[in-house]
Amino acid sequence: TPPAVPATPAAPVIHETYDLKAPKDWKGADSDLAHVAALAKAGKLTQEQANGLLEAQAKMIADDNAAIAREQEQTKSDNVATLKSDAEFGGAKYAESILRADQALAAFDPKGELLAELKTFGLEHHPSLVRAFMRVGKAMSEGTTVVNGGQPPASKSASLSELYPTMK
């Protein structure tokens, strides 16, 4: 009998379009799926290879998001440490200072819109912003009125007899 001829492997099926399904924990955009499909097509990948490329992209996005979250958490910790060590507001005065800042923010942002924006951008613990609200809260608690950017009114007050000339 003649020797068996090894079967030639079938050529991989190259697709014009790819049926890419985003993984359940996908954090990428729809445009990322289109980008992976374009790369798969340009590289003449099989459906399986395209799926592998998509999985690699999903892992890269997840790793990037985890690194960003770690960096944001470290920045928050650094900012809180900076505030706690602040000569004017930190140390033993820190808890009271934060309370004052919270009161000022509540007074001037009753709907919480500013705080939501600050949280969106990770700025709710930014030392400069917190210090500003601490100062506003302290001024509010001392019963002071802030007028003209902290400057006294330009005109002098009228006396009661000037305001009410008919009352003598």
Side-chain angles (χ1 to χ4, degrees):
T1 65
V5 177
T8 57
V13 177
I14 308 301
H15 298 274
E16 276 298 308
T17 60
Y18 292 88
D19 183 28
L20 297 174
K21 302 282 189 233
K24 66 179 177 177
D25 58 344
W26 177 254
K27 301 287 188 212
D30 290 341
S31 61
D32 291 336
L33 292 173
H35 181 71
V36 169
L39 287 173
K41 184 176 179 182
K44 300 182 191 279
L45 301 182
T46 65
Q47 179 68 48
E48 292 76 27
Q49 290 169 325
N51 287 337
L53 183 61
L54 179 61
E55 288 173 16
Q57 178 77 10
K59 181 175 179 349
M60 187 172 65
I61 290 170
D63 290 349
D64 285 349
N65 287 342
I68 289 168
R70 282 190 305 273
E71 185 177 324
Q72 288 173 336
E73 195 57 39
Q74 183 61 51
T75 299
K76 176 184 170 183
S77 294
D78 292 348
N79 286 343
V80 169
T82 297
L83 289 167
K84 285 183 176 182
S85 66
D86 186 278
E88 185 179 354
F89 300 107
K93 299 175 272 185
Y94 179 75
E96 181 183 344
S97 296
I98 292 297
L99 177 66
R100 300 283 184 235
D102 288 344
Q103 289 170 339
L105 191 56
F108 291 98
D109 184 34
K111 292 182 182 177
E113 296 165 337
L114 175 60
L115 182 57
E117 288 295 317
L118 293 173
K119 285 181 178 181
T120 297
F121 295 102
L123 295 172
E124 72 273 23
H125 295 96
H126 191 280
S128 297
L129 293 170
V130 175
R131 280 187 200 107
F133 279 104
M134 286 177 183
R135 287 182 181 115
V136 170
K138 184 177 178 185
M140 288 171 48
S141 69
E142 293 171 352
T144 58
T145 304
V146 179
V147 190
N148 290 338
Q151 302 301 317
S155 64
K156 76 176 200 178
S157 299
S159 69
L160 287 176
S161 62
E162 290 174 321
L163 289 173
Y164 305 102
T166 59
M167 296 182 76
K168 292 194 178 191

